[in-house]
Amino acid sequence: MGRAVGTTNLVLSVANCLANGCGLRVAVIEANTHNDYLSLRRRTEYGNASQNSFEAGGIYIYRKLSSCETAEVLAMDYDAVILDLQYEDADWNIWLAQCDRKIAIVGLQPWNRRSAERFLQQEHTKLQQITCVSLSVFPQFQKWIRKQYEIDVTEIPMERDVFCIQSENLHWYQNLIQ
């Protein structure tokens, strides 16, 4: 929900754990308008600029796919496909309904509170059924969300390098993906 809340960081960390920790064949689909994966490709020199997909650290990354192309990737022989969605997207509810494991990364920064409250008012019944995490958890806001909407939010461990998970965080990721 929103920008700069840790979504790409968490998506790539979980994908790395699944691919390199569990030995699964993993794909990530950038189903949003953020262009974070294009930036990753440029900085790390994976693939080339004309490709809509590339491989990085054992993870197959697809960016800017249409709904039909997303459905094609979901039908491929991957053990896990992670969709990096944004809630403003018209199809996000459809994709979310099809996911086996649902994780919402929510922004709980005080300066973003009004936007978070609007989203929670609109989607709180769905979020009660989803694991909610945040890169930064402010205890007062966290308590208010728990009381007002019956939603628990846990803090995401920060990874400096999503392709090299810190050993002290492995247990957290294992619990998240089980």
Side-chain angles (χ1 to χ4, degrees):
M1 164 166 122
R3 296 284 293 141
V5 297
T7 306
T8 302
N9 185 287
L10 180 65
V11 164
L12 290 173
S13 295
V14 168
N16 183 26
C17 283
L18 291 170
N20 298 303
C22 301
L24 301 178
R25 205 168 116 81
V26 178
V28 168
I29 300 174
E30 182 180 33
N32 60 52
T33 59
H34 302 160
N35 285 318
D36 292 331
Y37 297 96
L38 177 62
S39 177
L40 169 72
R41 185 178 63 206
R42 285 181 180 151
R43 281 194 311 258
T44 57
E45 297 187 21
Y46 290 111
N48 66 51
S50 66
Q51 293 176 313
N52 250 6
S53 66
F54 60 101
E55 186 267 332
I59 303 162
Y60 298 89
I61 298 173
Y62 297 85
R63 53 175 297 278
K64 297 291 195 183
L65 300 181
S66 68
S67 293
C68 290
E69 292 168 324
T70 299
E72 288 173 13
V73 172
L74 290 171
M76 293 174 140
D77 191 28
Y78 289 109
D79 299 310
V81 177
I82 301 172
L83 298 173
D84 188 345
L85 300 170
Q86 68 185 35
Y87 68 90
E88 297 99 354
D89 185 277
D91 293 330
W92 87 276
N93 280 313
I94 296 166
W95 296 125
L96 189 65
Q98 294 180 28
C99 293
D100 296 327
R101 184 75 170 108
K102 299 168 178 66
I103 301 169
I105 296 102
V106 296
L108 298 182
Q109 298 87 349
W111 56 87
N112 204 22
R113 185 172 177 150
R114 287 179 196 240
S115 150
E117 286 176 8
R118 279 194 304 274
F119 179 72
L120 288 166
Q121 287 170 353
Q122 186 178 340
E123 304 295 343
H124 72 276
T125 54
K126 284 182 195 141
L127 291 174
Q128 290 171 339
Q129 312 302 318
I130 298 172
T131 301
C132 293
V133 297
S134 182
L135 188 59
S136 54
V137 175
F138 291 83
Q140 206 171 25
F141 198 18
Q142 183 183 29
K143 286 178 190 174
W144 180 82
I145 290 171
R146 184 179 300 122
K147 182 179 177 185
Q148 183 76 18
Y149 297 106
E150 299 176 9
I151 297 170
D152 287 316
V153 180
T154 58
E155 191 168 8
I156 300 168
M158 185 58 185
E159 297 296 342
R160 288 183 188 88
D161 180 356
V162 295
F163 295 105
C164 184
I165 303 297
Q166 297 172 69
S167 60
E168 63 269 15
N169 295 335
L170 282 175
H171 185 69
W172 189 90
Y173 290 107
Q174 289 170 339
N175 287 335
L176 181 69
I177 58 181
Q178 291 179 352

